[in-house]
Amino acid sequence: MHKKQKTILVTGHSGLLGSEIIGMRNAVGISSNECDLLSKFQCQYTLNGVIKRHNPAIDCVIHCAAKVGGVKANSEFVADFFDNNIRMNMNVLESCKKTSIKLVSILSTCVYPTTKYVSYPLTEDQLHMGPPHKSNFGYAYAKRMLDVQSRAYRDQYGCNFITVIPNNLYGPNDNYDVENGHVIPALVRKFYEAKLHQKPVVSVWGTGDCLREFTFAKDAAKIILWLAENYNGESPVNIGNTDEISIKNLAFMIAKETGYEGEIVFDSSMPEGQLRKPSSNEYLLSLGWVGDYTPIELGLKETVQHFKNHYPKLRGAN
């Protein structure tokens, strides 16, 4: 006898991860135009109303909505990243508590403590062992508090609130803002436009030596949907691809994929974050997840092709 699939509501459904989840399931999406999650009144009235009135009844919310950005934005708008995410998360959790439904909240590996407090690879039990890296501590603490608040609601109210931790996500429906976007979409746009305008040199922030793990958004969506159906535990779950790549190698791969043949220089005066933060997905595997991650070469090919096909009508690129 097959288990009945949950009817899912996705916050932030037009974003990178939310759009992939919506594309895989007949889920309900709610956008910032329909409901301002920063407003307690709107969140309680609109979100609760959608949950209660939908037929079939919604029995799970996947909370993807967040104020996000790259290293530069996180460094310059620390308070905004903390304040907006804290307010949004509090409102969503309160709504899910009142409607007594399951909540899956999305964190990020940046929530983990900086290097001297942890051992690698990062495992879920190390989440609160020290402060996060200073380059994004406002966002990181807000996301870490989402895990704390989820546990508090479980303890006091018996809420089935779980949290998952992807690493660096990328994919077609990303934010291609060069100044405030994440590294892959920012570089895709930078190299593509450099080729378009025949620029002889492209500058990349940092030394290029930093190592990062990247997970194709489609892969993360599949895992999150599986956890929504199969996991009810208190511990957060790392879900990311554990293969590391240097920013330097990543830049050359993106340049090749976009067809840029000019010079690439690395500007060490610009911020680049911590050297590495490898994560472990052993807990996920122990829960029974079986699936492959998309190799970075294939994920980049699909992402760049989508960018070429839709430029400049892309988020952050027009």
Side-chain angles (χ1 to χ4, degrees), residues 4 19 24 38 41 46 59 68 73-74 107 116 123 132 159 172 187 209 242 249 264 266 300 316:
K4 177 181 173 291
S19 62
M24 290 178 187
L38 293 173
F41 172 78
T46 308
D59 45 18
V68 299
N74 270 280
L107 311 185
K116 67 179 181 178
T123 51
C159 296
L187 289 180
D209 295 332
T242 58
N249 287 341
I264 302 172
F266 293 86
L300 285 178

Side-chain angles (χ1 to χ4, degrees), residues 42-53:
Q42 280 202 37
C43 195
Q44 298 294 315
Y45 179 78
T46 308
L47 192 61
N48 287 17
V50 171
I51 290 170
K52 289 176 180 178
R53 291 191 302 269

Side-chain angles (χ1 to χ4, degrees), residues 135-211:
S135 63
N136 56 14
F137 84 87
Y139 175 81
Y141 267 126
K143 283 293 191 179
R144 195 187 288 187
M145 289 305 102
L146 181 50
D147 174 65
V148 172
Q149 191 176 9
S150 295
R151 292 182 186 224
Y153 274 57
R154 291 177 70 97
D155 288 349
Q156 184 169 343
Y157 303 114
C159 296
N160 187 8
F161 290 176
I162 72 169
T163 57
V164 303
I165 308 179
N167 44 32
N168 299 282
L169 299 180
Y170 72 101
N173 194 31
D174 216 328
N175 178 3
Y176 293 92
D177 187 311
V178 171
E179 290 294 314
N180 298 314
H182 288 115
V183 60
I184 286 183
L187 289 180
V188 167
R189 181 181 173 191
K190 187 177 281 191
F191 283 119
Y192 181 80
E193 291 183 340
K195 173 181 169 59
L196 204 64
H197 302 297
Q198 299 182 324
K199 292 184 178 180
V201 178
V202 168
S203 176
V204 177
W205 290 355
T207 62
D209 295 332
C210 287
L211 298 172

Side-chain angles (χ1 to χ4, degrees), residues 61-269:
V61 170
I62 299 181
H63 179 33
C64 299
K67 179 178 176 62
V68 299
V71 173
K72 186 173 186 291
N74 270 280
S75 300
E76 293 179 351
F77 303 104
V78 181
D80 288 350
F81 276 91
F82 181 81
D83 185 53
N84 287 359
N85 283 300
I86 284 285
R87 288 166 60 200
M88 191 183 307
N89 296 338
M90 289 185 70
N91 291 337
V92 171
L93 266 69
E94 180 68 12
S95 291
C96 291
K97 182 195 77 151
K98 286 188 173 182
T99 50
S100 301
I101 60 175
K102 184 172 185 176
L103 173 65
V104 182
S105 294
I106 314 303
L107 311 185
S108 165
T109 49
C110 73
V111 301
Y112 278 106
T114 192
T115 309
K116 67 179 181 178
Y117 298 99
V118 294
S119 59
Y120 291 139
L122 296 167
T123 51
E124 293 84 355
D125 59 332
Q126 300 183 80
L127 179 56
H128 299 287
M129 293 180 70
H133 193 267
K134 63 181 181 180
S135 63
N136 56 14
F137 84 87
Y139 175 81
Y141 267 126
K143 283 293 191 179
R144 195 187 288 187
M145 289 305 102
L146 181 50
D147 174 65
V148 172
Q149 191 176 9
S150 295
R151 292 182 186 224
Y153 274 57
R154 291 177 70 97
D155 288 349
Q156 184 169 343
Y157 303 114
C159 296
N160 187 8
F161 290 176
I162 72 169
T163 57
V164 303
I165 308 179
N167 44 32
N168 299 282
L169 299 180
Y170 72 101
N173 194 31
D174 216 328
N175 178 3
Y176 293 92
D177 187 311
V178 171
E179 290 294 314
N180 298 314
H182 288 115
V183 60
I184 286 183
L187 289 180
V188 167
R189 181 181 173 191
K190 187 177 281 191
F191 283 119
Y192 181 80
E193 291 183 340
K195 173 181 169 59
L196 204 64
H197 302 297
Q198 299 182 324
K199 292 184 178 180
V201 178
V202 168
S203 176
V204 177
W205 290 355
T207 62
D209 295 332
C210 287
L211 298 172
R212 291 291 182 268
E213 301 167 331
F214 294 97
T215 303
F216 202 37
K218 287 181 182 178
D219 300 340
K222 290 176 185 175
I223 297 170
I224 289 166
L225 285 168
W226 184 83
L227 288 169
E229 300 285 352
N230 296 284
Y231 180 67
N232 300 301
E234 180 182 74
S235 172
V237 185
N238 288 338
I239 65 168
N241 183 356
T242 58
D243 293 335
E244 288 184 299
I245 182 174
S246 73
I247 299 301
K248 184 173 291 184
N249 287 341
L250 178 71
F252 282 111
M253 287 175 67
I254 294 174
K256 180 179 179 182
E257 201 59 50
T258 57
Y260 179 72
E261 297 179 343
E263 183 182 1
I264 302 172
V265 297
F266 293 86
D267 184 356
S268 60
S269 69

Side-chain angles (χ1 to χ4, degrees), residues 11-14 29-37 42 65 88:
T11 68
H13 79 282
S14 61
I30 190 163
S31 68
S32 56
N33 293 329
E34 300 167 279
C35 179
D36 179 8
L37 297 179
Q42 280 202 37
M88 191 183 307

